[in-house]
Amino acid sequence: MKLLPLLLSAFAASTSAKTVHQERSLYQNISVVEQNGRRCLVFAAVRGDQNQTCQYLDHSQKLVFPYVRMVLAGLLVNPEPQKILMVGLGGGSVPTVLRRLYPDASIDIVEIDPAVEKVAKTYFGFEEDPKMQVKVSDARVFIKRAQLQKAQYDLVILDAFNGDYIPEHLMTQEFLQETRTLLGKSGVLVANTFSTSKLYDHESATYRQVFGPFFNFKMENTQNRVVIATAAPLPSEATLQQRAAALAERLAPFGVAIEEYPPALSTATDWDTGARILTDQYSPANLLQRQE
Amino acid sequence: MEETITSTRPVASAKPTLVFALAFTSGFSIMAVELLGGRILAPYFGSSIYVWGSIITVFMVALSLGYLIGGRLSLHRPSFGRYSLFYALSALALLPIVLFGEAIMAAVFLKVTDPRYGSLLAATALFLLPTILLGMIAPYSVRLLVQHQQHSGQVAGFLYFISTLGSALGTLATSFYLVLWFEVDTIMLTLVAMLLLGALAAFAGHLRFKRVLS
């Protein structure tokens, strides 16, 4: 009896996608679409699967997409980050969660597209505060400057790739080396990236070259994978499980079942190890992504 | 009379063929270098729209200066010898991009914090000179081929056709295939070698067509 109205309302919602906002920015087509009880940020809607961030309209704090939740697996490596760098703002759901989890952390956010910042603020409730500021910049430039200033981060989240176009200079050996120098002894890099096409082999080989063994985190039914890499040795699975248990309660409101993550964090080499490493000299990521 | 006609005929068709081939090569090189420019600047200045703005600006300014200088130089005793020199010099002017590119960009990056002006300055330092030299080739090619005033427009038109076609192919080959197969430096050094071959070919032309021009 309870189920029927719920089903009906879900059906009604799914039939009417409402476009709340649409604009063409310097870098992409941005739209904000409401459907199925959630509001989504959509980049370059040529294909149907370009949702970048979604938010439930009922103000639930739950993160809609598995790959966004997966990014928080980085907390298993460093559970109390105080300096955080987020590359790629999207709808701002990850920084918003991080701010709730760590009210005192300083969070630098780098976003190349000023229009994305505006949309995140207007339609997704993203708010800056004195210790959480968006810097409109190319991430490579920001990281090179941060390196000059000897900045250190406990957590660096790289979420700059959407399916249509990959910034190729953010995938090279040199870029990863620069990013690696920003990680202190306990710092962790979390990259939300691809799991399909030839690019997987090249990208994996490049991460391996720079970081040595890293956690390759994949879950069923997602096209993404999350790379978790550190400058220091990786923690053991027992440590990961302890931390997951300690974090579980804090992460539950966001829909993150962190205790399921440790067994899925794999260090296995499941790519073609002969794949050519991506460098500033050789980085045809967008071409490689089109090759199966 | 009879004899001079038969002896100049092969020369008359070999000369334009050589100039067209050379103009094609320079057109190809200009756009290949321009596309690689985006690759070269990205690690220091990103790949935002203003980085492309800087690159295109520098190339347009360089080409316009090259056209001006090349046209000017064609006034005074035009020769394949000098034409050959343009190719050799532009090849050499590309070498610093490979040899000192990193050092130059690192220095600019330290001095200029705004990536717009940083990329503009770096693009100027790296690409202005070679592109001026490559730009000089176009008007000079026209001068080498024009015999009669009434044909000058047709000759110029056909040369633009050939060299712009070269540019189109240089763009396509570089962005579709070359960056997938080779490193940026390898492609750049291949262009250097190609232009040096062009210089040799032009010099061969110099030895062969000396009499015809004077």
Side-chain angles (χ1 to χ4, degrees):
Chain A
M1 279 304 277
K2 265 184 185 170
L3 213 68
L4 189 66
L6 206 83
L7 278 173
L8 280 175
S9 70
F11 179 74
S14 71
T15 50
S16 58
K18 195 172 81 185
T19 301
V20 185
H21 175 75
Q22 207 160 23
E23 72 177 289
R24 177 188 283 266
S25 79
L26 274 179
Y27 298 95
Q28 54 218 331
N29 289 321
I30 302 174
S31 18
V32 180
V33 179
E34 283 179 1
Q35 193 173 18
N36 299 332
R38 51 197 210 190
R39 173 180 281 185
C40 296
L41 175 64
V42 185
F43 289 152
V46 187
R47 298 204 299 264
D49 57 351
Q50 295 295 308
N51 282 343
Q52 204 63 24
T53 318
C54 290
Q55 217 171 54
Y56 289 112
L57 286 167
D58 61 5
H59 300 290
S60 157
Q61 296 186 46
K62 284 198 167 56
L63 292 164
V64 175
F65 286 121
Y67 64 82
V68 181
R69 301 195 289 266
M70 284 162 72
V71 162
L72 296 174
L75 300 176
L76 296 173
V77 178
N78 189 327
E80 295 299 331
Q82 286 311 302
K83 283 269 307 167
I84 300 171
L85 173 61
M86 172 96 208
V87 175
L89 173 64
S93 45
V94 173
T96 301
V97 169
L98 289 172
R99 170 50 80 228
R100 289 202 178 120
L101 286 169
Y102 307 104
D104 297 323
S106 105
I107 305 177
D108 294 337
I109 304 164
V110 184
E111 168 60 52
I112 196 168
D113 191 344
V116 170
E117 185 189 355
K118 254 182 249 152
V119 167
K121 285 175 176 165
T122 315
Y123 297 97
F124 293 91
F126 171 73
E127 283 173 38
E128 284 177 303
D129 61 46
K131 289 178 84 177
M132 180 163 81
Q133 300 275 327
V134 178
K135 175 110 169 56
V136 174
S137 164
D138 187 291
R140 186 76 190 258
V141 179
F142 182 93
I143 285 175
K144 256 205 165 79
R145 292 250 171 255
Q147 205 188 356
L148 282 181
Q149 289 149 9
K150 309 222 183 303
Q152 298 273 287
Y153 290 95
D154 303 317
L155 173 61
V156 176
I157 299 173
L158 184 58
D159 190 12
F161 310 139
N162 72 49
D164 274 355
Y165 172 74
I166 306 159
E168 293 171 332
H169 59 309
L170 302 186
M171 226 182 225
T172 65
Q173 185 183 10
E174 291 88 338
F175 171 71
L176 294 179
Q177 271 158 356
E178 287 163 16
T179 308
R180 191 177 187 271
T181 63
L182 299 185
L183 305 173
K185 271 189 204 136
S186 54
V188 54
L189 168 67
V190 180
N192 173 24
T193 174
F194 306 93
S195 64
T196 53
S197 86
K198 266 200 171 166
L199 187 56
Y200 180 80
D201 298 328
H202 293 271
E203 194 193 28
S204 302
T206 310
Y207 271 95
R208 185 58 171 261
Q209 175 78 17
V210 174
F211 290 99
F214 60 86
F215 287 132
N216 206 3
F217 180 23
K218 289 186 238 181
M219 290 189 86
E220 276 175 47
N221 304 325
T222 62
Q223 294 262 296
N224 290 57
R225 63 147 160 178
V226 169
V227 168
I228 300 172
T230 51
L234 294 169
S236 68
E237 198 182 324
T239 310
L240 294 174
Q241 254 148 2
Q242 274 172 19
R243 286 177 183 161
L247 283 164
E249 206 178 317
R250 289 165 75 191
L251 290 176
F254 308 107
V256 181
I258 193 96
E259 281 173 298
E260 291 171 12
Y261 291 179
L265 265 53
S266 161
T267 50
T269 306
D270 63 351
W271 58 86
D272 171 10
T273 50
R276 199 163 159 185
I277 285 166
L278 301 170
T279 65
D280 285 344
Q281 285 283 324
Y282 177 78
S283 58
N286 287 287
L287 291 170
L288 291 168
Q289 203 209 355
R290 297 187 196 287
Q291 298 183 355
E292 286 307 312
Chain B
M1 265 322 263
E2 193 81 38
E3 248 190 64
T4 43
I5 288 169
T6 47
S7 71
T8 54
R9 222 173 232 158
V11 170
S13 71
K15 198 172 77 167
T17 307
L18 176 65
V19 174
F20 292 146
L22 285 170
F24 185 88
T25 309
S26 72
F28 186 101
S29 311
I30 290 169
M31 284 312 294
V33 174
E34 183 166 348
L35 266 178
L36 293 178
R39 278 301 161 109
I40 292 168
L41 294 185
Y44 286 86
F45 307 102
S47 56
S48 313
I49 192 161
Y50 49 74
V51 174
W52 280 108
S54 295
I55 292 170
I56 295 169
T57 303
V58 167
F59 272 76
M60 289 298 124
V61 169
L63 286 176
S64 66
L65 290 174
Y67 297 154
L68 195 70
I69 299 166
R72 180 88 198 166
L73 289 175
S74 77
L75 285 174
H76 185 63
R77 294 177 56 188
S79 75
F80 274 89
R82 199 178 263 174
Y83 193 50
S84 142
L85 203 59
F86 296 167
Y87 284 87
L89 289 176
S90 58
L92 294 180
L94 288 176
L95 279 179
I97 300 171
V98 177
L99 299 177
F100 315 115
E102 286 285 318
I104 292 169
M105 288 187 292
V108 173
F109 183 80
L110 284 177
K111 285 260 185 287
V112 187
T113 42
D114 187 328
R116 290 174 302 174
Y117 300 107
S119 61
L120 187 63
L121 196 63
T124 306
L126 294 177
F127 306 118
L128 189 73
L129 186 64
T131 314
I132 289 177
L133 289 160
L134 286 166
M136 285 159 54
I137 288 166
Y140 212 85
S141 306
V142 176
R143 178 63 190 92
L144 289 178
L145 288 186
V146 166
Q147 308 278 12
H148 305 289
Q149 200 176 13
Q150 70 189 101
H151 289 139
S152 57
Q154 193 193 10
V155 169
F158 196 71
L159 268 165
Y160 291 153
F161 167 74
I162 290 286
S163 76
T164 308
L165 217 56
S167 291
L169 195 72
T171 307
L172 191 81
T174 307
S175 61
F176 279 33
Y177 305 105
L178 299 181
V179 294
L180 186 60
W181 298 332
F182 308 110
E183 297 200 335
V184 172
D185 283 354
T186 310
I187 305 169
M188 199 61 96
L189 290 173
T190 309
L191 293 170
V192 169
M194 228 169 73
L195 289 168
L196 285 175
L197 278 178
L200 281 180
F203 193 73
H206 174 65
L207 299 178
R208 187 154 176 217
F209 308 129
K210 223 177 206 168
R211 287 160 299 145
V212 183
L213 275 167
S214 55

